[in-house]
Amino acid sequence: DVKVTQSSRYLVKRTGEKVFLECVQDMDHENMFWYRQDPGLGLRLIYFSYDVKMKEKGDIPEGYSVSREKKERFSLILESASTNQTSMYLCASLIGTEAFFGQGTRLTVV
Amino acid sequence: AQKVTQAQTEISVVEKEDVTLDCVYETRDTTYYLFWYKQPPSGELVFLIRRNSFDEQNEISGRYSWNFQKSTSSFNFTITASQVVDSAVYFCALSEGSTLGRLYFGRGTQLTVWP
Protein backbone atom coordinates (compact mmCIF):
# COMPACT_ATOMS: atom_id res chain seq x y z
CA ASP A 1 0.00 0.00 0.00
CA VAL A 2 1.13 3.51 -0.77
CA LYS A 3 2.01 5.44 2.32
CA VAL A 4 2.04 9.21 2.58
CA THR A 5 3.10 10.37 6.00
CA GLN A 6 2.87 13.84 7.43
CA SER A 7 5.14 14.48 10.36
CA SER A 8 2.52 15.89 12.74
CA ARG A 9 -1.24 15.51 13.21
CA TYR A 10 -1.56 18.61 15.35
CA LEU A 11 0.73 21.61 15.64
CA VAL A 12 0.48 24.86 17.60
CA LYS A 13 2.83 27.69 16.67
CA ARG A 14 3.21 31.34 17.56
CA THR A 15 2.75 34.24 15.19
CA GLY A 16 6.00 35.04 13.42
CA GLU A 17 7.55 31.61 13.84
CA LYS A 18 9.03 29.75 10.90
CA VAL A 19 7.08 26.52 10.49
CA PHE A 20 8.01 23.37 8.61
CA LEU A 21 5.42 20.80 7.61
CA GLU A 22 6.98 17.59 6.37
CA CYS A 23 5.56 15.01 4.01
CA VAL A 24 7.16 11.72 3.02
CA GLN A 25 5.96 9.15 0.50
CA ASP A 26 7.33 5.67 0.08
CA MET A 27 6.46 4.85 -3.53
CA ASP A 28 8.97 6.84 -5.57
CA HIS A 29 6.24 9.10 -6.96
CA GLU A 30 7.44 12.13 -8.88
CA ASN A 31 4.44 14.37 -8.27
CA MET A 32 3.67 15.78 -4.85
CA PHE A 33 1.21 18.42 -3.71
CA TRP A 34 0.35 20.57 -0.71
CA TYR A 35 -3.28 21.56 -0.15
CA ARG A 36 -4.93 23.66 2.46
CA GLN A 37 -8.44 22.80 3.64
CA ASP A 38 -10.78 25.32 5.23
CA PRO A 39 -14.47 24.88 6.09
CA GLY A 40 -16.70 25.82 3.19
CA LEU A 41 -13.76 26.33 0.84
CA GLY A 42 -12.75 22.75 0.08
CA LEU A 43 -9.13 21.97 -0.73
CA ARG A 44 -7.02 24.64 -2.33
CA LEU A 45 -3.65 23.98 -3.93
CA ILE A 46 -0.70 25.81 -2.38
CA TYR A 47 2.31 24.37 -4.22
CA PHE A 48 3.20 21.29 -6.18
CA SER A 49 6.33 19.59 -7.45
CA TYR A 50 6.91 17.37 -10.46
CA ASP A 51 10.43 16.35 -9.57
CA VAL A 52 13.30 16.95 -7.22
CA LYS A 53 14.15 20.63 -6.90
CA MET A 54 11.21 21.56 -9.10
CA LYS A 55 8.25 23.48 -7.74
CA GLU A 56 5.28 25.34 -9.08
CA LYS A 57 2.82 27.70 -7.44
CA GLY A 58 -0.72 26.63 -6.97
CA ASP A 59 -3.70 28.86 -6.35
CA ILE A 60 -2.74 30.28 -2.96
CA PRO A 61 1.09 30.35 -2.63
CA GLU A 62 1.36 33.66 -0.76
CA GLY A 63 3.05 33.25 2.61
CA TYR A 64 4.34 29.78 1.79
CA SER A 65 7.38 28.21 0.20
CA VAL A 66 8.38 24.60 -0.44
CA SER A 67 11.42 22.43 -0.59
CA ARG A 68 12.03 19.18 -2.43
CA GLU A 69 15.60 18.06 -2.02
CA LYS A 70 14.80 14.35 -2.24
CA LYS A 71 12.13 12.61 -4.25
CA GLU A 72 10.36 11.14 -1.26
CA ARG A 73 10.13 14.33 0.81
CA PHE A 74 8.16 17.50 0.13
CA SER A 75 8.25 20.22 2.77
CA LEU A 76 5.89 23.15 3.16
CA ILE A 77 7.40 26.20 4.86
CA LEU A 78 5.58 29.07 6.49
CA GLU A 79 8.25 31.74 6.58
CA SER A 80 6.51 33.81 9.25
CA ALA A 81 3.36 32.16 10.52
CA SER A 82 0.23 34.27 10.81
CA THR A 83 -3.14 33.56 12.38
CA ASN A 84 -4.82 33.38 8.97
CA GLN A 85 -2.68 30.34 8.21
CA THR A 86 -4.49 28.37 10.89
CA SER A 87 -5.89 25.50 8.85
CA MET A 88 -5.74 21.83 7.93
CA TYR A 89 -2.85 21.01 5.60
CA LEU A 90 -2.94 17.95 3.38
CA CYS A 91 -0.07 16.48 1.42
CA ALA A 92 -0.58 14.19 -1.58
CA SER A 93 1.57 12.18 -3.92
CA LEU A 94 0.48 11.10 -7.35
CA ILE A 95 1.00 8.17 -9.66
CA GLY A 96 -0.75 8.43 -12.99
CA THR A 97 -4.04 10.07 -12.14
CA GLU A 98 -4.45 8.62 -8.68
CA ALA A 99 -3.60 10.79 -5.69
CA PHE A 100 -2.75 9.41 -2.26
CA PHE A 101 -3.21 11.70 0.70
CA GLY A 102 -1.55 11.94 4.07
CA GLN A 103 -3.56 12.09 7.27
CA GLY A 104 -3.37 15.86 7.44
CA THR A 105 -1.77 18.35 9.83
CA ARG A 106 -4.04 20.64 11.77
CA LEU A 107 -2.01 23.80 12.36
CA THR A 108 -3.06 26.45 14.83
CA VAL A 109 -1.19 29.75 14.87
CA VAL A 110 -1.69 31.75 18.05
CA ALA B 1 -14.60 30.49 -11.60
CA GLN B 2 -15.02 27.22 -9.77
CA LYS B 3 -14.11 24.26 -11.94
CA VAL B 4 -16.01 21.91 -9.64
CA THR B 5 -19.27 22.87 -7.97
CA GLN B 6 -20.91 20.95 -5.17
CA ALA B 7 -24.04 22.94 -4.55
CA GLN B 8 -25.08 20.97 -1.46
CA THR B 9 -23.16 22.15 1.56
CA GLU B 10 -24.85 19.85 4.04
CA ILE B 11 -27.26 16.94 3.75
CA SER B 12 -28.94 15.07 6.59
CA VAL B 13 -30.74 11.78 6.13
CA VAL B 14 -32.00 8.98 8.31
CA GLU B 15 -30.42 5.57 8.09
CA LYS B 16 -31.60 3.42 5.15
CA GLU B 17 -32.57 6.42 3.07
CA ASP B 18 -30.98 6.85 -0.35
CA VAL B 19 -29.01 10.03 -0.88
CA THR B 20 -27.48 11.67 -3.97
CA LEU B 21 -24.56 14.07 -3.84
CA ASP B 22 -24.36 16.41 -6.80
CA CYS B 23 -21.23 17.45 -8.67
CA VAL B 24 -21.00 19.75 -11.68
CA TYR B 25 -17.70 20.42 -13.40
CA GLU B 26 -16.33 22.80 -15.96
CA THR B 27 -13.45 22.16 -18.36
CA ARG B 28 -12.44 22.82 -21.94
CA ASP B 29 -10.17 19.80 -22.12
CA THR B 30 -11.44 16.77 -23.98
CA THR B 31 -9.39 14.48 -21.77
CA TYR B 32 -10.06 14.75 -18.08
CA TYR B 33 -10.68 12.67 -14.99
CA LEU B 34 -13.29 12.95 -12.29
CA PHE B 35 -12.95 11.72 -8.75
CA TRP B 36 -14.89 11.30 -5.55
CA TYR B 37 -13.17 11.29 -2.16
CA LYS B 38 -14.56 10.65 1.30
CA GLN B 39 -13.22 12.42 4.37
CA PRO B 40 -14.38 10.84 7.62
CA PRO B 41 -13.97 12.66 10.95
CA SER B 42 -10.44 11.24 11.25
CA GLY B 43 -9.44 13.65 8.48
CA GLU B 44 -7.75 11.43 5.93
CA LEU B 45 -9.05 11.60 2.37
CA VAL B 46 -10.20 8.23 1.08
CA PHE B 47 -10.28 7.64 -2.66
CA LEU B 48 -13.64 6.28 -3.87
CA ILE B 49 -13.65 6.39 -7.66
CA ARG B 50 -11.96 7.76 -10.76
CA ARG B 51 -13.66 8.19 -14.11
CA ASN B 52 -12.09 9.32 -17.38
CA SER B 53 -13.89 11.53 -19.87
CA PHE B 54 -14.17 8.80 -22.47
CA ASP B 55 -16.05 6.39 -20.27
CA GLU B 56 -19.61 7.45 -19.57
CA GLN B 57 -20.73 4.12 -18.22
CA ASN B 58 -22.29 4.39 -14.82
CA GLU B 59 -20.63 2.43 -12.08
CA ILE B 60 -21.93 0.56 -9.08
CA SER B 61 -19.88 -0.64 -6.16
CA GLY B 62 -21.97 -2.16 -3.40
CA ARG B 63 -24.20 0.59 -2.02
CA TYR B 64 -22.36 3.27 -4.01
CA SER B 65 -23.16 4.29 -7.55
CA TRP B 66 -21.99 7.05 -9.83
CA ASN B 67 -23.80 8.72 -12.71
CA PHE B 68 -21.52 10.47 -15.22
CA GLN B 69 -23.29 12.65 -17.79
CA LYS B 70 -21.12 14.68 -20.15
CA SER B 71 -24.17 16.41 -21.63
CA THR B 72 -24.82 18.13 -18.30
CA SER B 73 -21.19 18.09 -17.05
CA SER B 74 -22.26 16.20 -13.98
CA PHE B 75 -20.82 13.36 -11.98
CA ASN B 76 -23.30 12.55 -9.23
CA PHE B 77 -22.80 10.08 -6.41
CA THR B 78 -25.61 8.04 -4.87
CA ILE B 79 -25.49 6.07 -1.64
CA THR B 80 -28.26 3.50 -1.37
CA ALA B 81 -29.58 2.46 2.03
CA SER B 82 -27.33 4.90 3.88
CA GLN B 83 -25.65 3.95 7.13
CA VAL B 84 -24.30 5.96 10.03
CA VAL B 85 -20.75 5.09 8.93
CA ASP B 86 -21.38 6.98 5.69
CA SER B 87 -21.35 10.24 7.65
CA ALA B 88 -18.42 12.23 6.28
CA VAL B 89 -17.49 15.10 4.00
CA TYR B 90 -17.49 14.06 0.35
CA PHE B 91 -15.41 15.84 -2.25
CA CYS B 92 -15.72 15.77 -6.00
CA ALA B 93 -12.55 16.60 -7.94
CA LEU B 94 -11.39 17.18 -11.50
CA SER B 95 -8.03 16.57 -13.16
CA GLU B 96 -7.55 18.01 -16.61
CA GLY B 97 -5.49 16.42 -19.35
CA SER B 98 -3.56 19.63 -19.92
CA THR B 99 -2.40 19.78 -16.28
CA LEU B 100 -2.46 16.13 -15.43
CA GLY B 101 -2.04 15.45 -11.77
CA ARG B 102 -3.35 18.69 -10.45
CA LEU B 103 -6.72 18.14 -8.75
CA TYR B 104 -9.39 20.81 -8.57
CA PHE B 105 -11.74 20.15 -5.68
CA GLY B 106 -15.28 21.17 -4.99
CA ARG B 107 -16.08 22.68 -1.61
CA GLY B 108 -17.41 19.42 -0.29
CA THR B 109 -20.74 18.13 0.97
CA GLN B 110 -21.13 17.23 4.64
CA LEU B 111 -23.35 14.16 4.85
CA THR B 112 -24.84 13.25 8.20
CA VAL B 113 -26.70 9.98 8.53
CA TRP B 114 -28.83 9.72 11.67
CA PRO B 115 -29.68 6.39 13.27
Side-chain angles (χ1 to χ4, degrees), chain B:
Chain B
Q2 280 277 105
K3 285 184 179 284
V4 178
T5 301
Q6 294 178 256
Q8 304 147 310
T9 306
E10 294 181 23
I11 300 176
S12 287
V13 298
V14 177
E15 234 180 353
K16 296 184 185 174
E17 281 187 35
D18 297 348
V19 58
T20 295
L21 310 182
D22 297 334
C23 174
V24 173
Y25 64 92
E26 182 181 331
T27 181
R28 293 184 177 182
D29 285 20
T30 53
T31 300
Y32 54 90
Y33 296 82
L34 295 163
F35 303 78
W36 276 95
Y37 286 86
K38 175 182 179 179
Q39 187 179 44
S42 60
E44 188 168 344
L45 277 170
V46 177
F47 167 81
L48 295 178
I49 191 172
R50 173 183 60 235
R51 216 79 186 121
N52 74 58
S53 52
F54 300 107
D55 183 2
E56 281 194 79
Q57 275 198 329
N58 292 328
E59 181 152 341
I60 298 175
S61 175
R63 296 185 297 108
Y64 294 170
S65 62
W66 291 269
N67 183 355
F68 177 26
Q69 293 201 343
K70 285 176 84 168
S71 60
T72 55
S73 297
S74 65
F75 186 44
N76 296 338
F77 173 30
T78 298
I79 302 174
T80 303
S82 59
Q83 299 176 1
V84 172
V85 294
D86 295 328
S87 296
V89 181
Y90 290 86
F91 290 98
C92 180
L94 165 73
S95 178
E96 296 175 309
S98 56
T99 55
L100 208 58
R102 177 177 172 156
L103 286 168
Y104 296 93
F105 283 86
R107 295 187 177 187
T109 297
Q110 170 72 59
L111 173 65
T112 302
V113 182
W114 298 99

Side-chain angles (χ1 to χ4, degrees), chain A residues 25-31 68 71-72 93-95:
Chain A
Q25 49 97 357
D26 65 356
M27 286 300 291
D28 204 35
H29 292 170
E30 291 180 344
N31 303 328
R68 188 138 183 231
K71 200 173 193 178
E72 66 269 20
S93 77
L94 186 90
I95 183 71

